[in-house]
């Protein structure tokens, strides 16, 4: 059987997909495979690659919004004391930004991703990525310097996204706050990442409130016959591209269906340029009509030849 599931509220974090999953579960239905958005056939998924790659998302990082508040005396800005609430917030944010205090680790699936991508890089990166067993410490030191992606695949990330002070330019705020968005890693989930933030918050006499949280999704089995079939279809329809598992930084509805399958994959079978990939949820988000046709061709081939 083939099930098509559409959620009108995926972009707002709604429960459409979760309700669909619960309905299937109540009916006793399990799924061999789920394919949702996430990865794609991207021109250059990592800077420095010499060929397009079909990147198949096998998990997605966790998500946590934190409100960090500094409390203190307000007053007129003409006679400011030292260590105002806003200054403490800024010092805290600066230290988190500078120190990057979350634990870095290379999951086996991330090692597999880099190993599969190694042939597309020039020397010496090809040598390093092809022999991670030897160069792991060097890789873990270099990747965060190469790109934000390099750090994001190895650790929880934190970005300060919202802030509030006083309502007047000449008033010291009593309770300014920042909002931090964390994408938590599988090896340092919400509880452990929150503990890191609380350690630094205590140093600056700040309070943390959890606004929203969910841990990283389970990791799909890259050694299953279902995953192998997806990669086979990619090789047959996109013969000139590489294939690699991928860690999704954002969120998709696919995470809900891990309750029904060990093969919850995030892959849109459409070719995209690097610019198109970067435009997701940004100005001029687009794919070409030709790329859509390629996606249709993939799913026709996938369904007609599925016999697992």
């Amino acid at each position: 059987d083939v099930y098509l599931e559409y959620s009108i509220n995926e972009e707002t974090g709604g429960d459409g997909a979760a309700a669909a999953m619960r309905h299937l579960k109540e009916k006793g239905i399990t799924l061999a495979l789920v394919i949702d958005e996430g990865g794609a056939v991207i021109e250059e998924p990592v800077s420095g690659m010499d060929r397009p790659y079909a990147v198949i998302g096998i998990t997605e990082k966790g998500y946590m919004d934190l409100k960090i508040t500094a409390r203190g005396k307000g007053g007129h800005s003409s006679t400011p004391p030292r260590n105002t609430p806003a200054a403490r917030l800024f010092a805290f944010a600066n230290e988190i930004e500078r120190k990057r205090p979350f634990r870095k680790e290379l999951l086996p699936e991330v090692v597999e991703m880099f190993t599969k991508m190694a042939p597309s890089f020039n020397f010496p990166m090809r040598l390093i990525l092809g022999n991670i067993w030897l160069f792991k410490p060097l890789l873990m030191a270099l990747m965060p310097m190469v790109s934000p992606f390099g750090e994001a695949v190895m650790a929880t990330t934190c970005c300060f996204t919202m802030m509030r002070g006083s309502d007047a330019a000449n008033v010291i705020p009593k309770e300014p706050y920042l909002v931090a968005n964390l994408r938590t890693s599988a090896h340092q989930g919400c509880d452990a990442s929150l503990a890191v933030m609380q350690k630094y918050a205590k140093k600056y006499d700040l309070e943390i409130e959890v606004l929203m949280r969910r841990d990283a999704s389970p990791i799909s089995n890259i050694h299953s016959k279902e995953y192998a079939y997806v990669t086979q279809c990619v090789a047959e329809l996109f013969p000139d591209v590489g294939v690699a598992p991928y860690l999704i930084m954002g969120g998709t509805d696919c995470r809900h269906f891990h309750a029904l399958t060990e093969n919850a994959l995030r892959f849109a079978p459409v070719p995209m340029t690097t610019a198109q990939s970067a435009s997701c949820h940004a100005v001029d988000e687009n794919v070409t009509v030709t790329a859509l046709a390629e996606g249709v061709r993939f799913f026709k081939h996938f369904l007609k030849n599925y016999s697992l």
Side-chain angles (χ1 to χ4, degrees):
D1 296 330
V2 177
Y3 297 87
L4 304 180
E5 188 276 327
Y6 299 90
S7 303
I8 64 168
N9 54 8
E10 187 272 342
E11 291 297 348
T12 58
D15 63 352
M21 180 277 293
R22 290 193 297 269
H23 175 74
L24 292 173
K25 195 171 185 179
E26 289 167 2
K27 297 291 184 181
I29 295 170
T30 57
L31 303 171
L33 174 69
V34 171
I35 299 183
D36 193 11
E37 64 173 340
V41 183
I42 302 176
E43 178 184 51
E44 190 181 9
V46 181
S47 179
M49 301 178 72
D50 66 1
R51 74 196 73 172
Y53 258 73
V55 289
I56 301 172
I58 57 172
T59 184
E60 55 194 64
K61 296 182 76 173
Y63 182 105
M64 186 160 57
D65 288 329
L66 302 178
K67 180 180 178 181
I68 303 104
T69 303
R71 304 188 190 278
K73 291 183 178 180
H76 199 279
S77 62
S78 61
T79 55
R82 293 185 180 275
N83 205 32
T84 62
R88 301 199 323 265
L89 274 180
F90 299 149
F92 165 80
N94 180 64
E95 187 163 7
I96 295 292
E97 172 84 7
R98 182 168 43 86
K99 286 189 175 179
R100 302 290 213 255
F102 302 100
R103 181 163 50 89
K104 296 178 178 63
E105 187 172 315
L106 280 177
L107 298 174
E109 292 76 14
V110 174
V111 171
E112 177 74 6
M113 176 185 74
F114 284 135
T115 300
K116 292 289 187 184
M117 290 180 172
S120 68
F121 285 93
N122 292 327
F123 186 87
M125 285 303 294
R126 182 168 61 242
L127 174 65
I128 294 172
L129 295 177
N131 297 277
I132 293 178
W133 61 273
L134 179 61
F135 295 107
K136 183 178 178 180
L138 177 62
L139 180 66
M140 293 182 71
L142 286 178
M143 287 304 294
M145 301 177 189
V146 172
S147 72
F149 172 82
E151 180 178 14
V153 297
M154 293 192 294
T156 292
T157 58
C158 173
C159 183
F160 296 97
T161 56
M162 301 172 68
M163 62 188 71
R164 177 78 184 267
S166 71
D167 294 324
N170 62 344
V171 175
I172 299 171
K174 293 182 186 179
E175 297 181 359
Y177 67 80
L178 296 172
V179 172
N181 176 244
L182 281 69
R183 302 302 171 109
T184 58
S185 62
H187 62 271
Q188 193 171 25
C190 289
D191 286 342
S193 295
L194 176 60
V196 172
M197 296 291 283
Q198 288 172 327
K199 171 186 173 183
Y200 286 89
K202 183 178 181 180
K203 176 180 176 181
Y204 295 100
D205 191 22
L206 307 175
E207 299 174 12
I208 292 183
E209 176 188 354
V210 179
L211 302 178
M212 179 181 177
R213 57 171 286 170
R214 66 169 183 265
D215 276 312
S217 67
I219 300 173
S220 295
N221 183 4
I222 61 174
H223 304 294
S224 70
K225 62 182 186 300
E226 289 81 6
Y227 180 85
Y229 176 65
V230 173
T231 62
Q232 174 190 325
C233 289
V234 171
E236 290 169 349
L237 294 179
F238 302 100
D240 297 325
V241 310
V243 185
Y246 196 64
L247 179 64
I248 300 295
M249 309 302 169
T252 74
D253 272 344
C254 200
R255 68 180 180 274
H256 298 293
F257 294 94
H258 280 279
L260 303 177
T261 181
E262 67 169 4
N263 300 294
L265 304 178
R266 300 143 178 91
F267 177 61
V270 295
M272 302 176 70
T273 65
T274 304
Q276 285 173 322
S277 177
S279 76
C280 181
H281 295 338
V283 175
D284 195 29
E285 181 177 6
N286 72 93
V287 295
T288 65
V289 174
T290 303
L292 286 179
E294 289 292 314
V296 172
R297 189 169 71 102
F298 176 91
F299 280 116
K300 286 175 67 174
H301 180 89
F302 179 90
L303 292 171
K304 286 183 176 180
N305 295 283
Y306 187 91
S307 60
L308 300 179

